[in-house]
């Protein structure tokens, strides 16, 4: 399994906001243990999806020159569940961004139903601690993990739909 | 221009949100790391929140200077901050009570410079500049 917790970006306004979707599927192994007979997406993975949405938004603002890592979740509240067949819609607004990192407000919805709402802080690992940055041998996580390819998913889909 | 009380109230609110502490824990003398449990990443959070609350820009390292006690700084000897180091701190952190550190200049006491009052002093200078 690859560590992609969003399937596609549907809106992307550079330096301002982004919206991504995540389709929850019963093919995901962990849903069979979480919980047996009651499959719900682990809340921690919803946070990861929100962080990937926000992390790419922040990374793109600086042309992916920094290693963006999730540093802190000062506030997150869960109002509901996400189950197989649901489509989560992650929305993030970039509130702050500087040399050291950034902060986003984020929400997760299924249709009109609020699932989660909170705030995430990211740090630029390379500017924070040079010894840690050196131990990461790639220029940045987003590229090395192939996360950037999520940004292309929408384009591929558009091309296919245009042909159809 | 906000009064000192207004600044203190907003700083208190900022720390309650950033560190998840109770309002009675946030006293002027409280140290951020020792008393309020702040970690390095919290300083970034606090800076973001202060910038928003007071509509100011806080350049990196101005409120919370980094690498104060780096081994190669030349300002530390036998686990203590040297006189030159203390003077450097006075210059870099006019908002901090360096004289108190001078009374017992152990390296591990440097973090005690970071108090709630220190943040208030910093903000006062900033908004009144």
């Amino acid at each position: 399994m690859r560590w992609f917790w969003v399937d596609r970006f549907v809106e992307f306004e550079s330096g301002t906001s982004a919206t991504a979707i995540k389709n929850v599927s019963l093919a995901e192994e962990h849903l069979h243990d979480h919980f047996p007979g009651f499959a719900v997406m682990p809340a921690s993975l919803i946070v990861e999806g929100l962080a990937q949405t926000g992390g790419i938004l922040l990374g793109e603002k600086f042309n992916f020159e920094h290693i963006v890592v999730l540093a802190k979740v000062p506030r997150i509240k869960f109002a509901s569940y996400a189950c197989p067949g649901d489509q989560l819609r992650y929305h993030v607004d970039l509130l702050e961004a500087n040399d050291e990192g950034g902060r986003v407000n984020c929400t997760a919805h299924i249709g009109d139903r609020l699932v989660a709402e909170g705030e995430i802080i990211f740090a630029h690992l390379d500017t924070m601690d040079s010894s840690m940055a050196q131990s990461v041998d790639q220029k940045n996580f987003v590229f090395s993990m192939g996360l950037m390819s999520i940004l292309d998913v929408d384009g591929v889909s558009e091309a296919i739909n245009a042909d159809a | 221009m906000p009064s000192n009380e207004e600044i203190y109230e907003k700083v208190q609110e900022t720390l309650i949100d950033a560190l998840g502490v109770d309002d009675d824990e946030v006293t002027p003398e409280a140290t951020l790391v020792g008393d309020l449990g702040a970690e390095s990443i919290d300083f970034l959070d606090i800076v973001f929140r202060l910038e928003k609350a007071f509509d100011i820009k806080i350049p990196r390292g101005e409120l919370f200077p980094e690498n104060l006690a780096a081994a190669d700084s030349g300002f530390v000897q036998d686990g203590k901050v040297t006189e030159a180091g203390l003077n450097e701190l006075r210059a870099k952190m006019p908002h901090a009570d360096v004289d108190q550190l001078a009374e017992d200049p152990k390296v591990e006491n440097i973090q005690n410079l970071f108090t709630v009052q220190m943040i208030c002093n910093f903000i006062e200078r900033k908004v009144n500049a």
Side-chain angles (χ1 to χ4, degrees), chain A residues 5-153:
Chain A
W5 292 103
V6 299
D7 292 327
R8 184 191 292 188
F9 277 83
V10 290
E11 280 168 27
F12 199 96
E13 201 176 325
S14 180
T16 307
S17 69
T19 308
I21 53 174
K22 155 71 186 161
N23 292 310
V24 185
S25 164
L26 204 48
E28 295 168 39
E29 280 291 332
H30 54 273
L31 291 181
H32 296 268
D33 300 312
H34 191 281
F35 298 93
F38 181 59
V40 288
M41 179 161 171
S44 51
L45 292 178
I46 294 178
V47 175
E48 177 65 24
L50 289 165
Q52 292 189 354
T53 309
I56 290 177
L57 178 65
L58 175 64
E60 193 269 350
K61 183 184 164 75
F62 296 105
N63 296 316
F64 300 101
E65 281 164 9
H66 297 297
I67 300 166
V68 177
V69 293
L70 191 168
K72 179 175 174 184
V73 183
R75 183 173 58 83
I76 187 94
K77 279 190 177 163
F78 290 89
S80 182
Y81 298 116
C83 302
D86 285 336
Q87 182 176 77
L88 280 159
R89 194 176 175 89
Y90 297 141
H91 183 78
V92 297
D93 289 304
L94 190 61
L95 302 180
E96 247 100 30
N98 65 22
D99 195 36
E100 288 174 89
R103 185 162 73 105
V104 298
N105 254 352
C106 53
T107 56
H109 282 87
I110 294 168
D112 292 333
R113 171 162 56 94
L114 179 71
V115 175
E117 182 262 325
E119 199 179 302
I120 297 175
I121 291 177
F122 300 95
H124 291 149
L125 194 60
D126 47 334
T127 61
M128 235 185 135
D129 184 332
S130 55
S131 61
M132 272 167 88
Q134 280 159 13
S135 66
V136 179
D137 58 357
Q138 57 271 9
K139 193 174 166 219
N140 75 58
F141 283 140
V142 174
F143 277 130
S144 69
M145 288 172 64
L147 256 183
M148 278 296 289
S149 60
I150 295 170
L151 288 174
D152 297 331
V153 173

Side-chain angles (χ1 to χ4, degrees), chain B residues 39-78:
Chain B
E39 293 176 25
S40 62
I41 200 67
D42 294 318
F43 291 122
L44 179 59
D45 188 1
I46 291 167
V47 166
F48 281 150
R49 285 173 202 271
L50 291 173
E51 286 185 332
K52 186 138 235 155
F54 293 99
D55 194 22
I56 51 173
K57 279 273 159 243
I58 303 177
R60 186 174 173 201
E62 203 175 286
L63 174 57
F64 303 116
E66 296 157 39
N67 303 325
L68 286 174
D72 56 356
S73 64
F75 295 136
V76 177
Q77 212 161 33
D78 302 328

